[in-house]
Amino acid sequence: MVHFQVIQNLSDKLGVRYVELNFVICQCLALLCSYIFRWFFKPTKVSATTRHAVQLVVGFLLAILAFNMGLFHVLIDATVCYIMMLTIDPHLAQYYVFAFSMSYMSAVHIYHQSLELGVYNLDYIGPLMILTMKLSSLSWSIHDGCARDEDKLTDQQKKMIVRKVPNPLEFYSFIFNVPGLLVGPVCYFTHYTEFIDGTNFMHSVKNEKGEEVMVYKEPSSVRAVTGKLLFTVMSALVLMLVVPRFPIWGNVDDDFINNGSFLYKIGFLMVSIEVAKSKYFFAWVWADAINNAAGIGFNGYDKHGKPKWDGVTNIRIWNFETATSLKVLVDNWNVTGSTWLRHVCYDRVPFQKQLITFVLSAVWHGFYMGYFITFLSASLFVTAAKKVRINLRHHFQSSVGLSRFYDVLTWACTHLCLAYFIAPFTFLRWDPCIKYFNSLYWFLHILAIAALFLPGRRRTKPPSEETSKRPEVLNHNLPPHISESFNGSLQFEDKKER
Protein backbone atom coordinates (compact mmCIF):
# COMPACT_ATOMS: atom_id res chain seq x y z
CA MET A 1 0.00 0.00 0.00
CA VAL A 2 1.15 3.55 -0.74
CA HIS A 3 1.32 4.87 2.82
CA PHE A 4 3.47 1.93 3.95
CA GLN A 5 5.94 2.65 1.14
CA VAL A 6 6.00 6.35 2.04
CA ILE A 7 6.85 5.56 5.66
CA GLN A 8 9.50 3.06 4.54
CA ASN A 9 11.17 5.63 2.28
CA LEU A 10 11.08 8.24 5.03
CA SER A 11 12.56 5.83 7.58
CA ASP A 12 15.41 5.03 5.16
CA LYS A 13 16.20 8.73 4.76
CA LEU A 14 16.12 9.36 8.52
CA GLY A 15 18.17 6.27 9.31
CA VAL A 16 15.62 4.76 11.71
CA ARG A 17 13.73 1.48 11.65
CA TYR A 18 10.36 1.38 9.93
CA VAL A 19 8.57 0.18 13.08
CA GLU A 20 10.03 3.05 15.12
CA LEU A 21 8.93 5.77 12.70
CA ASN A 22 5.56 4.11 12.20
CA PHE A 23 5.08 3.96 15.97
CA VAL A 24 5.80 7.69 16.36
CA ILE A 25 3.42 8.59 13.53
CA CYS A 26 0.64 6.40 14.93
CA GLN A 27 1.05 7.79 18.44
CA CYS A 28 0.87 11.35 17.08
CA LEU A 29 -2.33 10.44 15.27
CA ALA A 30 -3.69 8.77 18.41
CA LEU A 31 -3.02 11.94 20.43
CA LEU A 32 -4.77 14.10 17.83
CA CYS A 33 -7.74 11.72 17.59
CA SER A 34 -8.04 11.59 21.38
CA TYR A 35 -8.33 15.36 21.62
CA ILE A 36 -10.85 15.49 18.77
CA PHE A 37 -12.88 12.74 20.42
CA ARG A 38 -12.97 14.60 23.71
CA TRP A 39 -13.88 17.92 22.11
CA PHE A 40 -16.64 16.77 19.73
CA PHE A 41 -17.95 13.54 21.23
CA LYS A 42 -18.49 14.34 24.88
CA PRO A 43 -20.90 12.04 26.76
CA THR A 44 -23.11 15.07 27.36
CA LYS A 45 -23.43 15.65 23.59
CA VAL A 46 -23.65 12.17 22.07
CA SER A 47 -24.85 8.75 23.19
CA ALA A 48 -22.67 5.96 24.51
CA THR A 49 -23.41 4.02 21.32
CA THR A 50 -21.96 6.83 19.22
CA ARG A 51 -18.87 7.03 21.40
CA HIS A 52 -18.35 3.27 21.11
CA ALA A 53 -18.78 3.44 17.32
CA VAL A 54 -16.28 6.30 16.93
CA GLN A 55 -13.67 4.52 19.04
CA LEU A 56 -14.15 1.33 17.02
CA VAL A 57 -13.97 2.92 13.57
CA VAL A 58 -11.05 5.25 14.28
CA GLY A 59 -9.21 2.58 16.24
CA PHE A 60 -9.64 0.04 13.44
CA LEU A 61 -8.29 2.50 10.85
CA LEU A 62 -5.33 3.29 13.10
CA ALA A 63 -4.73 -0.44 13.56
CA ILE A 64 -4.49 -0.90 9.78
CA LEU A 65 -1.73 1.70 9.67
CA ALA A 66 0.02 0.44 12.79
CA PHE A 67 -0.19 -3.33 12.37
CA ASN A 68 -0.38 -3.92 8.61
CA MET A 69 -1.06 -7.67 8.15
CA GLY A 70 -0.70 -8.15 11.90
CA LEU A 71 -4.26 -6.82 12.17
CA PHE A 72 -5.51 -10.28 11.18
CA HIS A 73 -3.86 -11.77 14.27
CA VAL A 74 -5.69 -9.26 16.45
CA LEU A 75 -9.01 -9.98 14.76
CA ILE A 76 -8.65 -13.76 14.94
CA ASP A 77 -7.57 -13.77 18.59
CA ALA A 78 -10.28 -11.33 19.68
CA THR A 79 -13.10 -12.94 17.70
CA VAL A 80 -12.40 -16.52 18.81
CA CYS A 81 -12.25 -15.42 22.45
CA TYR A 82 -15.46 -13.40 22.09
CA ILE A 83 -17.29 -16.44 20.70
CA MET A 84 -16.03 -18.42 23.70
CA MET A 85 -17.41 -15.79 26.08
CA LEU A 86 -20.79 -15.96 24.34
CA THR A 87 -21.12 -19.72 24.09
CA ILE A 88 -19.30 -21.28 27.05
CA ASP A 89 -20.66 -21.35 30.59
CA PRO A 90 -19.21 -18.42 32.61
CA HIS A 91 -18.07 -20.91 35.23
CA LEU A 92 -15.56 -22.24 32.67
CA ALA A 93 -15.22 -19.69 29.85
CA GLN A 94 -12.38 -17.80 31.54
CA TYR A 95 -10.14 -20.87 31.38
CA TYR A 96 -10.73 -21.36 27.67
CA VAL A 97 -10.25 -17.67 26.88
CA PHE A 98 -7.08 -17.44 28.95
CA ALA A 99 -5.66 -20.62 27.40
CA PHE A 100 -6.46 -19.62 23.82
CA SER A 101 -5.28 -16.00 24.06
CA MET A 102 -2.04 -17.01 25.79
CA SER A 103 -1.46 -19.85 23.31
CA TYR A 104 -2.11 -17.66 20.27
CA MET A 105 0.22 -14.96 21.53
CA SER A 106 2.84 -17.57 22.45
CA ALA A 107 2.67 -19.09 18.96
CA VAL A 108 3.44 -15.67 17.47
CA HIS A 109 6.31 -15.23 19.94
CA ILE A 110 7.76 -18.62 19.03
CA TYR A 111 7.36 -17.99 15.29
CA HIS A 112 9.28 -14.72 15.48
CA GLN A 113 11.89 -16.26 17.74
CA SER A 114 12.39 -19.23 15.38
CA LEU A 115 13.08 -16.83 12.50
CA GLU A 116 15.50 -14.88 14.73
CA LEU A 117 13.62 -11.68 14.01
CA GLY A 118 14.49 -10.24 17.41
CA VAL A 119 12.09 -8.31 19.60
CA TYR A 120 9.90 -5.87 17.68
CA ASN A 121 7.23 -5.00 20.19
CA LEU A 122 6.53 -1.76 18.35
CA ASP A 123 4.77 -3.61 15.54
CA TYR A 124 1.79 -5.88 16.23
CA ILE A 125 3.39 -8.14 18.86
CA GLY A 126 3.21 -5.53 21.62
CA PRO A 127 -0.49 -4.82 20.90
CA LEU A 128 -1.12 -8.58 20.78
CA MET A 129 0.31 -8.81 24.30
CA ILE A 130 -2.01 -6.00 25.37
CA LEU A 131 -4.91 -7.81 23.67
CA THR A 132 -4.15 -10.92 25.74
CA MET A 133 -4.46 -8.80 28.88
CA LYS A 134 -7.78 -7.36 27.73
CA LEU A 135 -9.33 -10.67 26.71
CA SER A 136 -8.27 -12.74 29.71
CA SER A 137 -9.11 -10.00 32.24
CA LEU A 138 -12.54 -9.47 30.67
CA SER A 139 -13.34 -13.20 30.78
CA TRP A 140 -12.36 -13.41 34.44
CA SER A 141 -14.40 -10.28 35.23
CA ILE A 142 -17.45 -11.86 33.57
CA HIS A 143 -16.83 -15.01 35.59
CA ASP A 144 -16.71 -12.93 38.79
CA GLY A 145 -19.93 -11.14 37.87
CA CYS A 146 -21.94 -14.12 36.66
CA ALA A 147 -20.64 -17.16 38.49
CA ARG A 148 -19.30 -16.06 41.89
CA ASP A 149 -20.67 -14.70 45.14
CA GLU A 150 -19.66 -11.04 45.34
CA ASP A 151 -18.93 -11.39 49.06
CA LYS A 152 -16.05 -13.74 48.19
CA LEU A 153 -14.40 -11.34 45.73
CA THR A 154 -11.32 -9.28 46.51
CA ASP A 155 -11.53 -5.49 46.38
CA GLN A 156 -9.85 -5.44 42.99
CA GLN A 157 -12.19 -8.10 41.60
CA LYS A 158 -15.17 -6.06 42.79
CA LYS A 159 -13.85 -2.98 41.00
CA MET A 160 -13.38 -4.93 37.75
CA ILE A 161 -16.58 -7.00 37.90
CA VAL A 162 -18.66 -7.34 34.69
CA ARG A 163 -22.25 -8.56 34.99
CA LYS A 164 -22.81 -9.74 31.40
CA VAL A 165 -20.98 -10.38 28.15
CA PRO A 166 -20.74 -7.08 26.25
CA ASN A 167 -22.48 -6.73 22.89
CA PRO A 168 -20.30 -6.76 19.72
CA LEU A 169 -20.07 -2.97 19.49
CA GLU A 170 -18.98 -2.64 23.12
CA PHE A 171 -16.53 -5.52 22.80
CA TYR A 172 -14.73 -4.39 19.66
CA SER A 173 -14.75 -0.78 20.82
CA PHE A 174 -12.95 -1.99 23.94
CA ILE A 175 -10.46 -3.96 21.81
CA PHE A 176 -9.70 -1.15 19.35
CA ASN A 177 -10.07 1.94 21.53
CA VAL A 178 -7.57 4.51 20.27
CA PRO A 179 -5.82 5.64 23.48
CA GLY A 180 -4.74 2.15 24.55
CA LEU A 181 -4.24 0.53 21.17
CA LEU A 182 -0.46 0.50 20.79
CA VAL A 183 1.27 0.36 24.20
CA GLY A 184 -1.55 0.70 26.70
CA PRO A 185 -2.04 1.43 29.48
CA VAL A 186 -4.84 -1.10 29.56
CA CYS A 187 -8.09 0.54 30.59
CA TYR A 188 -10.00 -2.50 31.84
CA PHE A 189 -13.56 -3.01 30.67
CA THR A 190 -15.33 -1.64 33.75
CA HIS A 191 -13.28 1.54 33.67
CA TYR A 192 -13.61 1.78 29.89
CA THR A 193 -17.42 1.70 30.05
CA GLU A 194 -17.31 4.40 32.74
CA PHE A 195 -15.23 6.50 30.34
CA ILE A 196 -17.67 5.89 27.49
CA ASP A 197 -20.76 6.60 29.64
CA GLY A 198 -19.14 9.62 31.27
CA THR A 199 -19.71 8.26 34.78
CA ASN A 200 -15.99 8.68 35.53
CA PHE A 201 -16.70 12.42 35.72
CA MET A 202 -19.89 12.16 37.78
CA HIS A 203 -19.80 13.17 41.43
CA SER A 204 -22.33 14.09 44.08
CA VAL A 205 -23.00 17.66 45.28
CA LYS A 206 -25.66 19.20 47.47
CA ASN A 207 -28.26 21.38 45.78
CA GLU A 208 -30.00 24.41 47.28
CA LYS A 209 -32.36 22.14 49.22
CA GLY A 210 -29.48 20.26 50.78
CA GLU A 211 -30.15 17.15 48.70
CA GLU A 212 -27.32 15.21 47.15
CA VAL A 213 -27.49 15.09 43.35
CA MET A 214 -25.12 13.69 40.74
CA VAL A 215 -23.57 16.23 38.39
CA TYR A 216 -21.19 15.93 35.45
CA LYS A 217 -17.97 17.89 35.85
CA GLU A 218 -15.10 17.29 33.45
CA PRO A 219 -11.79 18.72 34.70
CA SER A 220 -9.09 19.87 32.30
CA SER A 221 -6.22 17.52 31.56
CA VAL A 222 -4.09 20.11 29.74
CA ARG A 223 -1.62 20.45 32.59
CA ALA A 224 -1.20 16.68 32.96
CA VAL A 225 -0.90 16.07 29.22
CA THR A 226 1.58 18.92 28.73
CA GLY A 227 3.79 17.73 31.57
CA LYS A 228 3.80 14.16 30.31
CA LEU A 229 4.56 15.24 26.74
CA LEU A 230 7.52 17.32 27.95
CA PHE A 231 8.77 14.33 29.93
CA THR A 232 8.35 12.21 26.79
CA VAL A 233 10.57 14.61 24.84
CA MET A 234 13.24 14.51 27.57
CA SER A 235 13.11 10.71 27.57
CA ALA A 236 13.54 10.69 23.79
CA LEU A 237 16.62 12.91 24.10
CA VAL A 238 18.13 10.59 26.71
CA LEU A 239 17.31 7.62 24.49
CA MET A 240 19.05 9.16 21.49
CA LEU A 241 22.00 10.93 23.12
CA VAL A 242 22.86 9.14 26.37
CA VAL A 243 21.87 5.50 25.91
CA PRO A 244 24.36 4.90 23.06
CA ARG A 245 27.18 5.98 25.42
CA PHE A 246 26.14 3.45 28.08
CA PRO A 247 24.76 0.44 26.20
CA ILE A 248 23.55 -2.49 28.28
CA TRP A 249 25.43 -4.80 25.93
CA GLY A 250 28.61 -3.11 27.13
CA ASN A 251 28.27 -5.21 30.29
CA VAL A 252 29.19 -8.35 28.32
CA ASP A 253 31.92 -6.81 26.18
CA ASP A 254 35.07 -8.97 26.41
CA ASP A 255 37.43 -6.05 26.93
CA PHE A 256 35.14 -4.57 29.57
CA ILE A 257 34.90 -7.87 31.46
CA ASN A 258 38.64 -8.59 31.31
CA ASN A 259 39.91 -5.14 32.27
CA GLY A 260 37.19 -3.57 34.42
CA SER A 261 37.28 -3.80 38.18
CA PHE A 262 34.31 -5.26 40.04
CA LEU A 263 33.19 -1.85 41.34
CA TYR A 264 33.54 -0.30 37.88
CA LYS A 265 31.37 -3.07 36.44
CA ILE A 266 28.71 -2.42 39.08
CA GLY A 267 28.83 1.32 38.41
CA PHE A 268 28.53 0.88 34.64
CA LEU A 269 25.69 -1.62 35.13
CA MET A 270 23.73 0.82 37.30
CA VAL A 271 24.17 3.69 34.84
CA SER A 272 23.39 1.61 31.74
CA ILE A 273 20.19 0.23 33.27
CA GLU A 274 19.10 3.63 34.55
CA VAL A 275 19.40 5.39 31.18
CA ALA A 276 17.88 2.38 29.38
CA LYS A 277 14.64 3.01 31.29
CA SER A 278 14.16 6.05 29.04
CA LYS A 279 12.92 3.68 26.32
CA TYR A 280 9.98 2.69 28.50
CA PHE A 281 9.47 6.17 29.91
CA PHE A 282 9.25 7.48 26.35
CA ALA A 283 6.59 5.01 25.20
CA TRP A 284 4.60 4.66 28.42
CA VAL A 285 4.40 8.28 29.53
CA TRP A 286 3.43 9.32 26.01
CA ALA A 287 0.69 6.68 26.09
CA ASP A 288 -0.48 8.03 29.46
CA ALA A 289 -0.74 11.50 27.92
CA ILE A 290 -2.85 10.15 25.05
CA ASN A 291 -5.24 8.51 27.50
CA ASN A 292 -5.51 11.69 29.55
CA ALA A 293 -6.17 13.71 26.39
CA ALA A 294 -9.15 11.45 25.64
CA GLY A 295 -10.44 11.73 29.21
CA ILE A 296 -9.18 8.41 30.59
CA GLY A 297 -7.29 8.26 33.89
CA PHE A 298 -9.07 10.87 36.01
CA ASN A 299 -8.56 9.88 39.65
CA GLY A 300 -10.27 12.56 41.70
CA TYR A 301 -8.66 15.63 43.22
CA ASP A 302 -5.61 16.11 45.43
CA LYS A 303 -5.58 18.03 48.72
CA HIS A 304 -5.10 21.29 46.82
CA GLY A 305 -8.17 20.70 44.67
CA LYS A 306 -6.21 19.93 41.51
CA PRO A 307 -7.34 17.02 39.31
CA LYS A 308 -5.24 13.85 39.41
CA TRP A 309 -4.72 11.99 36.15
CA ASP A 310 -3.01 8.82 37.32
CA GLY A 311 -6.01 6.48 37.52
CA VAL A 312 -4.95 4.51 34.43
CA THR A 313 -1.21 4.54 33.97
CA ASN A 314 1.72 2.43 32.84
CA ILE A 315 4.20 3.65 35.41
CA ARG A 316 4.37 5.76 38.56
CA ILE A 317 7.86 7.13 38.03
CA TRP A 318 8.37 8.84 41.39
CA ASN A 319 7.19 5.83 43.37
CA PHE A 320 9.29 3.55 41.18
CA GLU A 321 12.50 5.56 41.42
CA THR A 322 12.20 6.09 45.18
CA ALA A 323 11.13 2.53 46.01
CA THR A 324 12.89 1.05 49.05
CA SER A 325 11.71 -2.51 48.41
CA LEU A 326 11.43 -4.73 45.37
CA LYS A 327 7.72 -5.22 45.97
CA VAL A 328 7.03 -1.47 45.80
CA LEU A 329 9.30 -1.21 42.78
CA VAL A 330 7.50 -4.00 40.91
CA ASP A 331 4.05 -2.63 41.83
CA ASN A 332 4.86 0.73 40.23
CA TRP A 333 6.38 -0.58 36.99
CA ASN A 334 3.95 -1.55 34.21
CA VAL A 335 1.12 -0.84 36.64
CA THR A 336 -1.75 -2.13 34.51
CA GLY A 337 0.34 -5.21 33.75
CA SER A 338 0.69 -5.86 37.46
CA THR A 339 -3.07 -5.43 37.83
CA TRP A 340 -3.60 -8.04 35.10
CA LEU A 341 -1.20 -10.52 36.70
CA ARG A 342 -2.98 -10.19 40.04
CA HIS A 343 -6.43 -10.39 38.46
CA VAL A 344 -5.88 -13.51 36.32
CA CYS A 345 -3.17 -15.31 38.28
CA TYR A 346 -1.98 -14.22 41.73
CA ASP A 347 -5.44 -14.03 43.30
CA ARG A 348 -6.59 -17.22 41.53
CA VAL A 349 -3.89 -19.86 42.02
CA PRO A 350 -3.99 -21.79 45.33
CA PHE A 351 -0.24 -22.24 45.87
CA GLN A 352 3.16 -20.74 44.95
CA LYS A 353 1.37 -17.54 43.95
CA GLN A 354 4.48 -15.41 43.55
CA LEU A 355 6.51 -17.95 41.58
CA ILE A 356 3.68 -18.84 39.19
CA THR A 357 2.91 -15.15 38.63
CA PHE A 358 6.52 -14.39 37.71
CA VAL A 359 6.59 -17.39 35.35
CA LEU A 360 3.40 -16.16 33.68
CA SER A 361 5.00 -12.74 33.26
CA ALA A 362 8.00 -14.37 31.56
CA VAL A 363 5.80 -16.38 29.18
CA TRP A 364 3.76 -13.28 28.39
CA HIS A 365 6.93 -11.50 27.26
CA GLY A 366 8.15 -14.42 25.14
CA PHE A 367 10.31 -17.51 25.26
CA TYR A 368 13.83 -16.15 25.27
CA MET A 369 15.86 -17.54 28.16
CA GLY A 370 16.68 -14.00 29.27
CA TYR A 371 13.04 -13.43 30.20
CA PHE A 372 12.87 -16.53 32.38
CA ILE A 373 16.23 -15.77 34.01
CA THR A 374 15.04 -12.24 34.81
CA PHE A 375 11.66 -13.16 36.28
CA LEU A 376 12.79 -16.25 38.16
CA SER A 377 15.63 -14.19 39.64
CA ALA A 378 13.10 -11.48 40.52
CA SER A 379 11.00 -14.04 42.41
CA LEU A 380 14.09 -15.17 44.31
CA PHE A 381 15.12 -11.63 45.22
CA VAL A 382 11.63 -10.57 46.30
CA THR A 383 11.45 -13.55 48.66
CA ALA A 384 14.97 -12.94 49.97
CA ALA A 385 14.26 -9.23 50.48
CA LYS A 386 11.24 -10.08 52.64
CA LYS A 387 13.42 -12.29 54.83
CA VAL A 388 16.08 -9.59 55.18
CA ARG A 389 13.47 -6.95 56.04
CA ILE A 390 11.88 -9.14 58.73
CA ASN A 391 15.23 -9.79 60.38
CA LEU A 392 16.91 -6.37 60.06
CA ARG A 393 14.37 -3.57 59.90
CA HIS A 394 13.50 -3.46 63.61
CA HIS A 395 17.18 -2.79 64.43
CA PHE A 396 16.96 0.55 62.59
CA GLN A 397 13.75 1.93 64.10
CA SER A 398 15.07 3.22 67.43
CA SER A 399 15.73 6.73 66.08
CA VAL A 400 14.84 8.95 63.14
CA GLY A 401 18.46 9.00 61.96
CA LEU A 402 18.76 5.22 61.87
CA SER A 403 15.39 4.94 60.17
CA ARG A 404 16.48 7.38 57.45
CA PHE A 405 19.76 5.50 57.04
CA TYR A 406 17.81 2.26 56.62
CA ASP A 407 15.64 3.88 53.94
CA VAL A 408 18.69 5.06 51.98
CA LEU A 409 20.37 1.67 52.35
CA THR A 410 17.31 -0.30 51.20
CA TRP A 411 16.77 2.15 48.31
CA ALA A 412 20.33 1.56 47.07
CA CYS A 413 20.07 -2.21 47.51
CA THR A 414 16.69 -2.33 45.77
CA HIS A 415 17.93 -0.56 42.65
CA LEU A 416 21.17 -2.52 42.63
CA CYS A 417 19.14 -5.74 42.66
CA LEU A 418 16.93 -4.43 39.87
CA ALA A 419 19.91 -3.56 37.67
CA TYR A 420 21.51 -6.92 38.44
CA PHE A 421 18.59 -9.17 37.48
CA ILE A 422 17.00 -7.06 34.73
CA ALA A 423 20.02 -7.03 32.38
CA PRO A 424 19.27 -10.53 30.95
CA PHE A 425 15.92 -9.11 29.82
CA THR A 426 17.94 -7.31 27.14
CA PHE A 427 20.50 -10.06 26.46
CA LEU A 428 17.69 -12.53 25.68
CA ARG A 429 19.85 -15.55 24.90
CA TRP A 430 21.48 -17.99 27.31
CA ASP A 431 25.17 -17.44 26.51
CA PRO A 432 25.40 -13.67 27.12
CA CYS A 433 23.28 -14.05 30.27
CA ILE A 434 25.64 -16.63 31.77
CA LYS A 435 28.65 -14.61 30.63
CA TYR A 436 27.22 -11.55 32.37
CA PHE A 437 26.54 -13.29 35.69
CA ASN A 438 29.93 -15.01 35.61
CA SER A 439 31.60 -11.61 35.28
CA LEU A 440 29.88 -10.54 38.50
CA TYR A 441 30.51 -13.88 40.24
CA TRP A 442 26.74 -14.39 40.76
CA PHE A 443 27.26 -12.43 43.96
CA LEU A 444 23.67 -11.29 44.52
CA HIS A 445 22.27 -14.73 43.71
CA ILE A 446 24.58 -16.17 46.38
CA LEU A 447 23.51 -13.55 48.93
CA ALA A 448 19.84 -14.03 48.08
CA ILE A 449 20.02 -17.81 48.49
CA ALA A 450 21.81 -17.34 51.81
CA ALA A 451 19.05 -14.95 52.93
CA LEU A 452 16.46 -17.66 52.35
CA PHE A 453 17.84 -19.47 55.39
CA LEU A 454 17.06 -16.54 57.68
CA PRO A 455 14.08 -16.95 60.03
CA GLY A 456 10.80 -16.27 58.31
CA ARG A 457 9.21 -14.34 61.18
CA ARG A 458 10.80 -12.32 63.94
CA ARG A 459 9.96 -13.96 67.23
CA THR A 460 8.19 -11.78 69.75
CA LYS A 461 7.50 -12.49 73.40
CA PRO A 462 3.79 -13.25 73.85
CA PRO A 463 2.05 -10.73 76.12
CA SER A 464 0.95 -11.92 79.55
CA GLU A 465 -2.70 -12.27 80.36
CA GLU A 466 -2.61 -9.13 82.52
CA THR A 467 -0.77 -6.87 80.08
CA SER A 468 -2.96 -8.06 77.22
CA LYS A 469 -5.93 -6.48 78.97
CA ARG A 470 -4.40 -3.00 78.94
CA PRO A 471 -5.85 -0.40 76.55
CA GLU A 472 -2.55 -0.23 74.60
CA VAL A 473 -4.34 0.69 71.42
CA LEU A 474 -4.13 4.30 72.55
CA ASN A 475 -0.37 4.56 72.68
CA HIS A 476 1.30 1.52 71.14
CA ASN A 477 3.14 3.67 68.60
CA LEU A 478 4.49 6.24 71.09
CA PRO A 479 8.17 6.44 72.09
CA PRO A 480 9.03 4.64 75.37
CA HIS A 481 9.58 7.75 77.50
CA ILE A 482 6.20 9.22 76.52
CA SER A 483 4.51 5.85 76.89
CA GLU A 484 5.79 5.57 80.47
CA SER A 485 4.34 8.88 81.59
CA PHE A 486 1.10 8.13 79.79
CA ASN A 487 0.54 4.76 81.43
CA GLY A 488 1.85 5.76 84.87
CA SER A 489 2.05 2.94 87.41
CA LEU A 490 0.93 0.29 84.94
CA GLN A 491 4.03 0.84 82.83
CA PHE A 492 6.22 0.87 85.94
CA GLU A 493 4.77 -2.45 87.12
CA ASP A 494 5.45 -3.96 83.70
CA LYS A 495 9.08 -2.92 84.00
CA LYS A 496 9.38 -4.57 87.46
CA GLU A 497 7.97 -7.80 86.03
CA ARG A 498 10.51 -7.77 83.24
Side-chain angles (χ1 to χ4, degrees), residues 63-94:
I64 294 175
L65 176 62
F67 308 155
N68 198 356
M69 298 301 293
L71 175 60
F72 288 102
H73 288 294
V74 175
L75 285 172
I76 292 170
D77 193 4
T79 301
V80 171
C81 288
Y82 184 52
I83 293 173
M84 289 179 177
M85 294 180 204
L86 288 172
T87 58
I88 300 177
D89 189 292
H91 288 84
L92 299 173
Q94 72 279 7

Side-chain angles (χ1 to χ4, degrees), residues 131-254:
L131 177 63
T132 301
M133 295 167 63
K134 289 182 177 180
L135 294 171
S136 55
S137 65
L138 175 58
S139 65
W140 275 105
S141 293
I142 294 172
H143 167 73
D144 292 337
C146 299
R148 292 186 66 192
D149 185 350
E150 188 169 346
D151 293 336
K152 297 180 180 180
L153 302 180
T154 66
D155 290 340
Q156 178 176 292
Q157 290 165 358
K158 291 177 181 178
K159 291 178 181 178
M160 298 176 64
I161 197 169
V162 178
R163 298 294 183 183
K164 63 178 182 177
V165 179
N167 64 46
L169 177 61
E170 294 169 337
F171 176 78
Y172 286 104
S173 169
F174 170 61
I175 297 302
F176 287 102
N177 75 87
V178 174
L181 185 64
L182 298 180
V183 291
V186 176
C187 181
Y188 292 100
F189 188 78
T190 303
H191 304 132
Y192 180 68
T193 55
E194 291 174 354
F195 156 69
I196 290 294
D197 296 338
T199 53
N200 59 326
F201 293 130
M202 299 292 290
H203 67 284
S204 62
V205 297
K206 290 186 177 181
N207 60 16
E208 297 177 352
K209 298 180 180 179
E211 302 171 337
E212 287 195 357
V213 294
M214 299 299 293
V215 297
Y216 179 88
K217 181 181 179 182
E218 185 175 344
S220 172
S221 62
V222 172
R223 183 187 180 115
V225 172
T226 302
K228 291 176 181 180
L229 290 179
L230 290 175
F231 190 88
T232 300
V233 172
M234 289 192 298
S235 298
L237 292 175
V238 172
L239 185 59
M240 292 186 295
L241 302 177
V242 183
V243 171
R245 296 177 179 271
F246 301 94
I248 294 180
W249 278 94
N251 290 283
V252 291
D253 178 75
D254 289 332

Side-chain angles (χ1 to χ4, degrees), residues 257-312:
I257 291 175
N258 294 330
N259 299 314
S261 67
F262 180 79
L263 290 179
Y264 181 75
K265 292 175 185 176
I266 294 297
F268 186 88
L269 171 65
M270 296 287 287
V271 174
S272 62
I273 293 297
E274 187 60 39
V275 298
K277 296 173 189 173
S278 60
K279 170 185 175 181
Y280 298 94
F281 292 165
F282 168 73
W284 285 349
V285 175
W286 192 359
D288 284 3
I290 293 171
N291 275 265
N292 295 164
I296 297 175
F298 175 64
N299 193 27
Y301 297 87
D302 63 17
K303 60 182 180 180
H304 302 294
K306 296 179 180 178
K308 297 187 295 182
W309 288 93
D310 58 354
V312 177

